[in-house]
Amino acid sequence: GGRGAAWVFENNGSSWVQAGPKLTGGEGSAHFGFSVAISGNTAVVGAPSNEPRGEDTGAAFAFTKFAQGWTQPGQELTPTGAAAAHAKFGYSVGVAGETAVVGAPGYEGGVGAAYVFTQGEGGSFNATAPQILTGGSEEAGEGQFGTTVAISGDASAVLVGAPADAKRVGAAWLMTRSGSTFSQAGHKVEGGGEIAKGWFGSSVALSGDGMSALIGGSKDGTTTGAVWSFASIAHGPPEVSSIHPKSGPSRGGTLVSIKGSGFKPGSTVTIGSAASSVEVVSETELRARTSATEPGTYEVVVTDSSGASSEGPSFTYMASASKEGTIAPTVTSISPNSGPTTGDTEVTIHGT
């Protein structure tokens, strides 16, 4: 016993119904289904006792939903490195969009870690090149970092619990995204007013924008337990990933759609000069209208209270344009170069 399974249910408007056969995976007493997460058409299931590399090494399995149902078997994700033995990889899982996070509290003898995977072309995760997150120098003893994980809906932040930190007082770490890399934001988070060894970090949750969090301490007050609420958590600056269109007339007036993450109300946009009519559509999309700017190519920068985006795509202002977002035609050569004044000469024009 102990192999495990997971079931997917969908809401038909009035009730929840099972969507296809149960999902399975793992070898031996894998405890497949110990942890689960779903985002859109991607589901991740943890199996922390999966046995191919030794007892409790663990694994996680990613499933994709297609028109005919969920893929079987799922893509297997496993821990990397010598410290991964007995990692209990898959003890906790989270997924948002194209990013998955998997906790491994047994990593390096109980110090713990969390692995971040991103999807590539074709929908598969980069199983061989994950980013490994740890508590670093702030972790006190074998904190079992990765016992719990949460990822914000916009994939801009990850929260990781380590309830055994400081001899089971517990702590949590917020990691924020810059480009494709997560790094620690501020100091580790601890529970103010915690009574005795509360196992702070035994459960974690993040809001969709990663700006608010709930962190549980299941043994606060010996066994009573408590939950801490945090708001306006330190957050990284917004990220810009794509824009449309990529060019327009230097006189301004082009409406630009900007995609990325971490967009908040009150954001400003600079495209060579300050853009106007900024509209935050969601945490991942905003629109802005270009202002009159000298011809040239300029980075699109979104700024809010958390900072300014960097290394984003660029917009090109054209000296003349026949239509917003399109480059005016250019003549490179004609043939013939001359003709009689009486006219009626057929001319071939080359250009772009």
Side-chain angles (χ1 to χ4, degrees):
R3 184 170 184 179
W7 287 258
V8 180
F9 291 82
E10 295 180 350
N11 194 311
N12 62 10
S14 59
S15 62
W16 290 90
V17 296
Q18 186 173 332
K22 66 183 181 182
L23 306 178
T24 58
E27 299 180 34
S29 298
H31 292 133
F32 178 94
F34 188 88
S35 58
V36 296
I38 189 169
S39 175
N41 292 326
T42 301
V44 179
V45 180
S49 299
N50 197 51
E51 297 179 351
R53 291 185 54 185
E55 186 179 359
D56 288 346
T57 296
F61 296 82
F63 299 85
T64 303
K65 182 183 178 182
F66 295 100
Q68 67 271 26
W70 292 87
T71 56
Q72 293 253 32
Q75 180 192 2
E76 183 175 1
L77 306 174
T78 56
T80 57
H86 306 284
K88 295 184 179 179
F89 180 91
Y91 197 90
S92 59
V93 296
V95 62
E98 299 178 349
T99 305
V101 57
V102 181
Y107 180 88
E108 202 171 349
V111 173
Y115 291 67
V116 177
F117 300 86
T118 54
Q119 283 179 323
E121 294 183 6
S124 295
F125 285 96
N126 60 336
T128 60
Q131 181 186 359
I132 302 177
L133 307 177
T134 67
S137 60
E138 282 196 300
E139 185 172 351
E142 296 173 353
Q144 297 178 18
F145 180 96
T147 297
T148 54
V149 298
I151 184 169
S152 62
D154 61 4
S156 64
V158 168
L159 185 63
V160 184
D165 184 68
K167 297 182 179 180
R168 296 183 175 81
V169 171
W173 278 254
L174 179 70
M175 308 287 183
T176 56
R177 186 177 209 141
S178 178
S180 60
T181 303
F182 286 88
S183 57
Q184 185 174 336
H187 294 290
K188 69 180 182 181
V189 184
E190 299 175 285
E194 185 175 348
I195 301 173
K197 297 179 179 181
W199 290 49
F200 181 86
S202 54
S203 59
V204 295
L206 270 176
S207 61
D209 61 1
M211 296 298 289
S212 300
L214 291 176
I215 302 176
S218 61
K219 293 194 175 184
D220 183 70
T222 307
T223 57
T224 302
V227 175
W228 285 257
S229 175
F230 296 85
S232 299
I233 291 178
H235 206 290
E239 296 286 335
V240 178
S241 58
S242 65
I243 61 171
H244 180 80
K246 295 182 179 181
S247 63
S250 60
R251 65 175 179 273
T254 302
L255 184 63
V256 181
S257 174
I258 303 170
K259 299 289 185 67
S261 63
F263 299 154
K264 298 186 293 187
S267 296
T268 60
V269 178
T270 302
I271 311 177
S273 58
S276 63
S277 305
V278 177
E279 177 190 3
V280 179
V281 179
S282 68
E283 297 164 356
T284 60
E285 180 182 5
L286 57 77
R287 303 188 187 105
R289 196 172 295 278
T290 61
S291 300
T293 304
E294 288 294 317
T297 299
Y298 304 86
E299 181 182 352
V300 177
V301 178
V302 177
T303 303
D304 61 24
S305 57
S306 300
S309 64
S310 61
E311 300 181 3
S314 297
F315 181 89
T316 300
Y317 289 94
M318 308 303 298
S320 60
S322 59
K323 183 180 180 180
E324 286 189 4
T326 61
I327 301 173
T330 301
V331 176
T332 57
S333 65
I334 61 172
S335 178
N337 293 325
S338 60
T341 58
T342 55
D344 205 30
T345 300
E346 184 175 314
V347 179
T348 300
I349 303 171
H350 297 275
T352 59

